[in-house]
Amino acid sequence: MTRYIFITGGVVSSLGKGLASAALGALLQARGYKVRLRKLDPYLNVDPGTMSPYQHGEVFVTEDGAETDLDLGHYERFTGVNAARADNITTGQIYKTIIEKERRGDYLGATVQVIPHVTDEIKQFVLSDPGEGVDFVLVEIGGTVGDIEGLPFFEAIRQLGQELPRGQTCYIHLTLLPYIKTAGEMKTKPTQHSVKELRSIGIQPDILLCRCEFEIPASERRKIGQFCNVRESAVIQAMDSANIYAVPLDYHQQGLDREVLDVFGLTDTAPAPNLARWEDISTRMNHPDGDVNIAIVGKYTGLTDAYKSLVEALVHGGLASNVRVKLDWIEGEAFEREDALIAERLAEVHGVLVPGAFGERGAAGMIRAVQFAREHRIPYFGICFGMQMAMIETARNLAGIPRASSTEFGPTSAPVVGLMTEWVKGNARETRSEADDLGGTMRLGSYEAALMPGSKVAGIYGALTIHERHRHRYEVNIGYREAIEKAGLAFTGLSPNGVLPEICERPDHPWFIGVQFHPELKSRPFDPHPLFSSFISAAKERSRLV
Ligand code: GLN
């Protein structure tokens, strides 16, 4: 029997609903249950793929190639369960489906309405097969209660509470208890109003998860319980935490999993939780052996949400080497202006990373960062755009191809990076679907790559066949392989058909690796990605030297 937990938010956005959902998933898992997490996004975009990273943060790519909300990244990192296309839906997707059905005449002349047609689509998504033996499906609703665009979603989960057998659903509401400094008091009124709003839609929360800066006084807890019609024990304190991987432990201490099990009548039968791996991670995070400084020379650097998985993967790499990873965010554009700045910012760092990016702005600065890291033997990690920039740097500065560029930046006589359709004639495509045109779409999701025996990456992975997730439109041009390899940058990972360069490395450098995929998407705190562990370990090595 699958049980459903709905997680809604109130008062303000950005309270960390995704993290809360992921942490609860981890707690239920720690008790031996099988979980699946899903996210309902009320915005009208079909998916976040086209949304600005400044506005929406990272686009998280699943194994099956869906571009999804970054919360799915939290779900994967906390539970280790791979998310899929079937775990994220938006209003845009729902309307697209409904309008297509309507045009085909599938509704047989009926008037198509929000209730029941939109709500039915939402329910169908929530109930769609969660897979073998899943005990709990956790469903997070994006936005906050009261948003106009969220209404059909709240209505759909309300209906599910009536339609599913009794005792099979649980509603958790995440709210904020602001602390008013001048009054020296924690305020419960916004939470009361938020729950009132939720109840006016017909949803009575079972549990309140209250974000706060300070402990909730017993009197306030009682008051919240009374006014919101929630058991006092189910008013759970969710205090700010400096370390997100301590959140499952905090929630457990506050009794969140106990209350959830109580809602489902499982208190007596539920196994005790095994939180050993979370305790281990928390301890290691709190007692690092030292620091390493990593410079991230990218775009969108003002907002770390745009590189969410990357930041976490670096933390995981640090866990593997018992160091705290400190990040220095640098806009690529800053390096386009003066050399002095590059030396000043990079000379002391222990690693340089150029992450994924789109468009030409800042590229020249990133290329100079690559050059500096190469010449000064600083560990260099190029991810996606960062690999493309490494190729261009070698081509221009060492292979005698001064005009080397990417067609992403406009027409060039030396397309070291370009659309594959620009250099491969015929149908040598290695895409998921033959109908997909690589020229018009992105290469998304998991693809296999073959590693060169004896290469550094083969050693790091301990394998010759790997699978990694992609999200890019441009590729390194295999036609330049000979010239670039002669200049010292080896092509050590290729697509199985040998056409698409997936990894490059410099055998003459302490650690210089570029990858066309996004390894950060598969890193987990308790299973750090080997490339990140290895990169941070090389950075740690360098920290001993400089
Ligand atoms: N803009 C580049 C491309 O589309 C790189 C994309 C990325 O870094 N994710 O190929």
Side-chain angles (χ1 to χ4, degrees):
M1 183 169 72
T2 309
R3 299 171 179 86
Y4 294 84
I5 301 173
F6 300 105
I7 300 119
T8 60
V11 186
V12 291
S13 58
S14 302
L15 288 181
K17 236 181 314 134
L19 202 66
S21 308
L24 175 58
L27 282 181
L28 292 168
Q29 252 186 350
R31 287 188 181 260
Y33 294 109
K34 196 166 170 191
V35 299
R36 176 136 188 191
L37 286 101
R38 289 185 159 153
K39 171 109 197 254
L40 309 174
D41 274 313
Y43 50 73
L44 276 163
N45 303 63
V46 171
D47 63 40
T50 54
M51 285 157 95
S52 158
Y54 290 107
Q55 268 196 32
H56 194 72
E58 169 184 84
V59 174
F60 189 81
V61 180
T62 57
E63 286 288 294
D64 58 354
E67 297 181 278
T68 69
D69 190 82
L70 60 75
D71 280 329
L72 276 79
H74 288 308
Y75 303 167
E76 286 203 4
R77 286 187 284 276
F78 276 76
T79 65
V81 178
N82 279 342
R85 185 175 295 278
D87 292 323
N88 188 201
I89 200 163
T90 67
T91 299
Q93 269 173 51
I94 289 166
Y95 274 80
K96 196 165 167 260
T97 312
I98 289 179
I99 289 168
E100 278 164 9
K101 279 192 194 169
E102 188 273 337
R103 292 290 84 183
R104 279 200 308 265
D106 290 1
Y107 293 110
L108 305 173
T111 306
V112 184
Q113 294 177 301
V114 172
I115 305 173
H117 300 100
V118 172
T119 46
D120 280 355
E121 287 290 334
I122 298 171
K123 287 193 288 183
Q124 213 177 318
F125 169 81
V126 169
L127 299 177
S128 60
D129 183 14
E132 258 309 286
V134 169
D135 301 293
F136 293 98
V137 176
L138 286 78
V139 184
E140 178 192 346
I141 292 90
T144 45
V145 62
D147 297 346
I148 290 179
E149 57 188 15
L151 273 173
F153 292 90
F154 284 89
E155 169 60 15
I157 65 166
R158 181 199 67 74
Q159 289 178 18
L160 283 171
Q162 295 306 310
E163 292 165 15
L164 290 165
R166 258 184 220 287
Q168 227 176 303
T169 52
C170 167
Y171 296 87
I172 301 180
H173 192 54
L174 182 70
T175 76
L176 175 70
L177 296 179
Y179 181 80
I180 306 296
K181 261 201 219 116
T182 46
E185 270 178 26
M186 183 177 268
K187 292 294 180 189
T188 65
K189 193 70 90 190
T191 294
Q192 293 177 37
H193 276 288
S194 180
V195 173
K196 199 168 153 202
E197 182 77 30
L198 199 59
R199 291 171 74 192
S200 75
I201 300 171
I203 298 173
Q204 167 63 54
D206 299 294
I207 296 170
L208 294 179
L209 199 50
C210 304
R211 289 298 310 275
C212 48
E213 283 174 80
F214 303 99
E215 298 221 352
I216 310 175
S219 58
E220 298 309 291
R221 199 183 286 255
R222 202 168 315 122
K223 189 164 145 193
I224 297 167
Q226 266 170 3
F227 279 91
C228 299
N229 194 30
V230 170
R231 279 164 198 266
E232 204 180 308
S233 62
V235 177
I236 307 281
Q237 166 182 300
M239 223 153 49
D240 297 352
S241 169
N243 163 13
I244 60 167
Y245 298 115
V247 170
L249 297 173
D250 287 351
Y251 283 2
H252 173 66
Q253 214 177 28
Q254 295 300 320
L256 177 63
D257 46 333
R258 181 198 65 214
E259 287 301 319
V260 169
L261 295 171
D262 186 50
V263 171
F264 291 110
L266 292 170
T267 314
D268 298 333
T269 50
N274 176 358
L275 294 164
R277 71 174 176 183
W278 294 106
E279 277 153 9
D280 171 52
I281 284 172
S282 274
T283 319
R284 280 194 288 142
M285 281 200 72
N286 293 336
H287 305 284
D289 244 1
D291 291 345
V292 299
N293 301 325
I294 303 294
I296 300 187
V297 187
K299 239 169 151 173
Y300 337 114
T301 53
L303 279 173
T304 50
D305 259 9
Y307 293 117
K308 191 87 210 157
S309 296
L310 178 68
V311 173
E312 293 309 319
L314 286 162
V315 170
H316 306 162
L319 281 171
S321 290
N322 262 323
V323 289
R324 184 171 49 178
V325 179
K326 288 186 155 172
L327 303 180
D328 187 6
W329 296 93
I330 302 168
E331 276 288 324
E333 263 181 317
F335 282 176
E336 286 172 11
R337 296 185 283 270
E338 23 157 356
D339 285 336
L341 184 70
I342 301 183
E344 187 189 309
R345 295 289 294 268
L346 297 188
E348 308 265 292
V349 302
H350 309 129
V352 173
L353 193 152
V354 174
F358 291 83
E360 188 170 15
R361 184 173 63 76
M366 295 178 207
I367 291 170
R368 293 174 81 175
V370 177
Q371 182 180 358
F372 191 90
R374 173 175 61 74
E375 290 175 350
H376 293 81
R377 303 180 65 76
I378 305 171
Y380 174 76
F381 196 0
I383 294 180
C384 206
F385 199 68
M387 158 158 163
Q388 297 173 358
M389 296 308 106
M391 288 284 182
I392 294 174
E393 195 276 324
T394 289
R396 282 187 193 169
N397 296 336
L398 299 171
I401 315 172
R403 286 181 203 285
S405 186
S406 167
T407 57
E408 185 174 3
F409 310 154
T412 164
S413 56
V416 166
V417 178
L419 297 175
M420 200 176 51
T421 44
E422 292 166 347
W423 72 82
V424 176
K425 299 244 178 331
N427 191 8
R429 282 207 313 257
E430 199 252 340
T431 50
R432 183 170 303 278
S433 142
E434 283 305 306
D436 279 345
D437 184 358
L438 201 67
T441 60
M442 281 209 250
R443 191 157 165 242
L444 288 166
S446 182
Y447 285 89
E448 186 175 312
L451 308 188
M452 194 209 278
S455 62
K456 183 162 193 138
V457 281
I460 291 171
Y461 276 95
L464 291 179
T465 303
I466 59 164
H467 294 87
E468 292 284 2
R469 297 187 202 167
H470 293 246
R471 181 176 187 249
H472 55 104
R473 194 166 280 122
Y474 296 85
E475 308 274 356
V476 170
N477 187 341
I478 190 85
Y480 286 89
R481 180 175 187 170
E482 212 188 307
I484 290 176
E485 288 201 323
K486 261 198 206 136
L489 188 56
F491 288 42
T492 51
L494 295 173
S495 58
N497 65 3
V499 176
L500 302 174
E502 309 283 38
I503 302 181
C504 64
E505 65 183 73
R506 277 200 164 272
D508 65 353
H509 188 282
W511 207 100
F512 188 107
I513 293 176
V515 295
Q516 187 55 77
F517 43 82
H518 289 275
E520 69 272 26
L521 300 175
K522 285 176 75 168
S523 187
R524 314 269 162 87
F526 33 82
D527 187 14
H529 192 287
L531 285 172
F532 282 91
S533 305
S534 173
F535 175 58
I536 297 299
S537 147
K540 188 177 176 183
E541 236 359 87
R542 182 171 170 87
S543 75
R544 297 208 178 101
L545 304 175
V546 293

